[in-house]
Amino acid sequence: MIFFLFIMMFSLSSLQIQSQTIPRNISIFILAGQSNMAGRGGVYNDTAKNITVWDGVIPRECRSNPSILRLTAKLEWEEANEPLHADIDVNKTNGVGPGMPFANRVVNRFGYVGLVPCSIGGTKLSQWQKGEFLYEETVRRAKAAKVASGGGSYQAVLWYQGESDTVDMVDASVYKKRLVQFFSDLRNDLQHPNLPIIQVALATGAGPYLDAVRKAQLETGLENVHCVDAKGLPLEPDGLHLTTSSQVRLGQMLVDAFLAIPNSAKPLSGFSVLVMFCLFFL
């Protein structure tokens, strides 16, 4: 039942994308990960009401912009606003993530940026393997984003996941194998065998096998896979999620890594899309 609302939401989604006002020649960025990619910056426990809430603080770096759009759960384009995953990561409270600060840094290079959230937290990497619901839905939404304006091209994958895989020794020990398989399958299904991938090495984990997962992330051995390290970024009081300021910093780190890839900084005409896969955490 953990994904009941998520599955329901996508099964009811329309296959029609409102694309008449979306520029052609879309450049697509794919973001994937757990709750830290979905965004928990500014989320806290309201002890008086016994609920988890978002403080609503939106930094300047995360501001909305008419040139930054996102694909809704119904596959319709709208102006992107925090929290980006409000209608996707539906079982948890969402806050600030790295998507908007990233988009705000690259939008001037691409003219338009589109964010395509496809994320649920608290999920192990095994649940993101080819054939599993989250993987297949992610590919479906990524392809839908490309079709939105009658074309487009994928530019990069941004990936931040692994906290849930630090709990169990077996998950941690096979993390590299699963990660390589995930990246390879995603590239294959999106028909982009050398699609740049920028992943985030974990800042923290839910269990004792953090080092094993981090080692796997830092040593994938795959061509055109790059890594930024979140270790040391300030965390929320729960000790698991990045603060709002940390999410802003992470977005900037991801931009720096992306722009360091040869030819990535070349301005493109049209619209750029960020496809976001973030997993719930706890």
Side-chain angles (χ1 to χ4, degrees):
M1 297 296 291
I2 188 172
F3 299 118
F4 176 72
L5 291 177
F6 182 68
I7 294 172
M8 227 175 105
M9 172 186 60
F10 280 113
S11 66
L12 294 176
S13 295
S14 168
L15 293 178
Q16 298 299 316
I17 300 177
Q18 305 300 317
S19 60
Q20 62 271 23
T21 61
I22 304 301
R24 299 176 64 86
N25 302 320
I26 299 174
S27 297
I28 303 172
F29 294 86
I30 302 169
L31 280 74
Q34 280 192 240
S35 55
N36 272 314
M37 180 64 85
R40 297 295 185 268
V43 173
Y44 67 97
N45 292 321
D46 187 332
T47 55
K49 298 180 180 179
N50 196 29
I51 58 173
T52 302
V53 298
W54 174 47
D55 62 17
V57 176
I58 301 176
R60 174 179 55 83
E61 295 88 348
C62 302
R63 65 192 182 281
S64 60
N65 183 321
S67 296
I68 301 175
L69 307 182
R70 75 173 200 106
L71 196 69
T72 70
K74 294 182 179 181
L75 305 183
E76 297 173 347
W77 292 111
E78 68 177 16
E79 185 172 328
N81 292 282
E82 295 283 15
L84 292 175
H85 285 77
D87 65 342
I88 301 296
D89 206 357
V90 294
N91 290 319
K92 294 288 185 177
T93 302
N94 294 274
V96 173
M100 286 301 289
F102 181 94
N104 271 298
R105 281 281 303 277
V106 300
V107 66
N108 290 335
R109 294 178 180 271
F110 295 103
Y112 286 86
V113 167
L115 309 175
V116 185
C118 304
S119 314
I120 297 294
T123 314
K124 295 180 179 181
L125 184 53
S126 61
Q127 294 169 284
W128 279 87
Q129 300 298 287
K130 185 177 176 65
E132 296 293 331
F133 174 78
L134 291 178
Y135 176 88
E136 300 300 330
E137 193 58 38
T138 291
V139 171
R140 185 179 78 90
R141 282 176 59 79
K143 290 182 175 180
K146 187 174 182 179
V147 172
S149 64
S153 59
Y154 301 111
Q155 297 297 320
V157 175
L158 308 186
W159 170 257
Y160 187 176
Q161 189 276 338
E163 291 94 338
S164 292
D165 291 270
T166 67
V167 176
D168 182 80
M169 181 176 65
V170 173
D171 289 328
S173 66
V174 298
Y175 189 86
K176 181 176 180 178
K177 179 180 179 181
R178 288 173 175 169
L179 187 64
V180 169
Q181 190 65 55
F182 170 68
F183 288 161
S184 299
D185 287 337
L186 192 60
R187 282 171 161 173
N188 183 63
D189 285 339
L190 297 182
Q191 299 181 349
H192 198 319
N194 199 38
L195 181 63
I197 297 172
I198 306 170
Q199 66 168 330
V200 182
L202 294 180
T204 185
Y209 302 104
L210 173 62
D211 290 342
V213 173
R214 279 178 50 83
K215 186 174 188 295
Q217 293 171 332
L218 292 165
E219 301 174 1
T220 63
L222 289 177
E223 183 180 356
N224 215 15
V225 172
H226 313 271
C227 193
V228 300
D229 199 342
K231 192 171 184 179
L233 291 177
L235 302 173
E236 296 285 2
D238 62 11
L240 300 172
H241 299 113
L242 299 182
T243 64
T244 296
S245 61
S246 292
Q247 290 286 15
V248 170
R249 174 58 184 147
L250 178 61
Q252 296 168 344
M253 292 165 64
L254 290 168
V255 170
D256 291 342
F258 171 66
L259 296 181
I261 300 173
N263 300 319
S264 66
K266 181 180 179 180
L268 301 176
S269 60
F271 181 79
S272 302
V273 178
L274 279 139
V275 182
M276 307 183 65
F277 324 122
C278 314
L279 313 179
F280 253 131
F281 191 71
L282 299 179

